[in-house]
Amino acid sequence: MQIIRHPDEMTAWAKEQAKAGRRIGLVPTMGFFHEGHISLMRRAGQLADQVTVSLFVNPIQFGPQEDLAAYPRNFERDCAMADTAGVTALFAPDAAEMYPAGCSTTVAVGAELTGQLCGASRPSHFAGVATVVCKLFSIVRPDLAVFGEKDFQQLAVIRRMTADLNLGVEIVAHPIVREVDGLAMSSRNTYLAPQQREAALSLSRALALARKRATEGEHSAERLTTVLQDFIHSFPETAVDYISFVHQDSLQHVAEIDAQTVLALAVKIDGKVRLIDNGKVL
Ligand code: AMP
């Protein structure tokens, strides 16, 4: 596996691959890999000839009070894991290379996709995500890019940006990978102390509860939200950021749930660790 630090070197490598007729699959990440990341890399390997993984903790997608400095990092371990997963190139630029002095362009996807859910409590987050992914697409020039459904709003934002800007990259969605007890894998799970780890299960269990109630015939988003709020708050460490039933593509709130509805959850544990999860309930 080749480790590439500089954007120009990355583009030169990508051009060589294209010349040789090889399709590139990109997996954008912030590192500290777990099985969720690895399954995205393997999926990219099934769909493309060369897998490039970007490892970049993107400063502009973190708010001022967020965990940029504390975000978990382990470069050596990540390299070993990516290599084993069949990655051909790992692109790990410095922030100064990605955002040199004078850099002043950002990509902002419209508020109908970015103003609610995570965008409500993280107002600059999706502009940061769209900007870095747009830059990664320009640098790596992938034929396809794989994103996890774990970050369901991010996926909708990237799809919109890719279509609106005619970026010509196929966006592939990959299902959420979970721990055996149901917790969605996340680099941020490493922040959780044992008691908090138990409280973190409130998200996947709330999804299961919503599925049960929905299958029994409760389709009112408002009533289901009340049930889920009570359930999540029965774990004393939790504070709900949002519980939203939205249309899978438009991300607009729905009053009655159906097969196109996604339940999206964000919960803070002990006021510190913010976890998200989502899924269909019907
Ligand atoms: P991150 O490093 O957290 O920014 O995530 C990089 C990519 O991995 C994003 O497309 C995420 O949606 C995806 N991802 C993170 N956790 C999971 C998971 N548990 N299952 C599937 N994909 C995931």
Side-chain angles (χ1 to χ4, degrees):
M1 183 181 75
Q2 227 171 311
I3 296 170
I4 301 175
R5 292 280 187 184
H6 197 281
D8 292 344
E9 254 177 67
M10 185 69 242
T11 303
W13 183 88
K15 280 184 178 170
E16 264 175 46
Q17 304 308 316
K19 224 193 240 160
R22 299 188 196 109
R23 281 166 56 81
I24 298 179
L26 171 67
V27 181
T29 80
M30 298 205 301
F32 208 70
F33 296 151
H34 50 67
E35 269 311 308
H37 295 114
I38 300 303
S39 70
L40 265 58
M41 296 174 203
R42 294 199 193 282
R43 178 81 179 275
Q46 288 161 2
L47 299 171
D49 305 306
Q50 302 280 4
V51 179
T52 296
V53 168
S54 60
L55 194 172
F56 180 59
V57 183
N58 177 34
I60 67 166
Q61 72 185 66
F62 288 78
Q65 309 305 326
E66 294 181 2
D67 58 343
L68 172 62
Y71 197 83
R73 292 161 167 90
N74 190 335
F75 187 68
E76 300 302 316
R77 179 170 156 272
D78 283 351
C79 286
M81 286 173 79
D83 195 21
T84 307
V87 171
T88 17
L90 185 92
F91 177 49
D94 281 342
E97 297 282 5
M98 288 296 273
Y99 304 113
C103 180
S104 69
T105 304
T106 50
V107 179
V109 173
E112 66 284 3
L113 289 184
T114 58
Q116 73 287 53
L117 304 175
C118 290
S121 58
R122 308 185 76 191
S124 58
H125 175 68
F126 288 111
V129 169
T131 301
V132 79
V133 172
C134 190
K135 282 173 73 73
L136 289 169
F137 284 2
S138 302
I139 295 165
V140 178
R141 304 172 181 209
D143 296 275
L144 62 96
V146 187
F147 292 88
E149 286 173 355
K150 157 100 189 326
D151 297 278
F152 148 79
Q153 187 174 16
Q154 167 173 286
L155 186 55
V157 168
I158 301 294
R159 281 194 200 285
R160 181 82 267 148
M161 173 191 76
T162 305
D164 289 353
L165 300 181
N166 304 88
L167 297 178
V169 178
E170 182 192 345
I171 305 300
V172 178
H174 194 76
I176 300 176
V177 178
R178 296 178 180 280
E179 305 281 359
V180 279
D181 60 6
L183 179 67
M185 289 192 182
S186 165
S187 305
R188 289 188 167 100
N189 291 349
T190 190
Y191 295 145
L192 297 167
Q195 180 70 19
Q196 297 174 324
R197 175 72 177 65
E198 194 58 29
L201 287 175
S202 62
L203 287 95
S204 56
R205 290 187 182 158
L207 278 164
L209 176 59
R211 275 187 199 117
K212 181 169 178 291
R213 292 293 169 90
T215 318
E216 287 165 0
E218 178 58 271
H219 291 177
S220 153
E222 195 181 340
R223 284 195 294 271
L224 283 167
T225 301
T226 306
V227 169
L228 300 181
Q229 198 138 21
D230 291 347
F231 172 74
I232 293 171
H233 284 155
S234 70
F235 295 77
E237 300 84 358
T238 62
V240 169
D241 179 353
Y242 61 77
I243 297 171
S244 298
F245 290 90
V246 297
H247 187 273
Q248 59 183 1
D249 301 321
S250 71
L251 308 193
Q252 297 309 301
H253 287 275
V254 298
E256 287 287 305
I257 63 163
D258 61 24
Q260 262 96 60
T261 304
V262 170
L263 166 58
L265 305 169
V267 173
K268 263 196 174 174
I269 313 288
D270 280 338
K272 286 190 207 101
V273 189
R274 186 175 175 283
L275 300 175
I276 56 172
D277 203 343
N278 71 83
K280 293 250 177 117
V281 289
L282 276 176

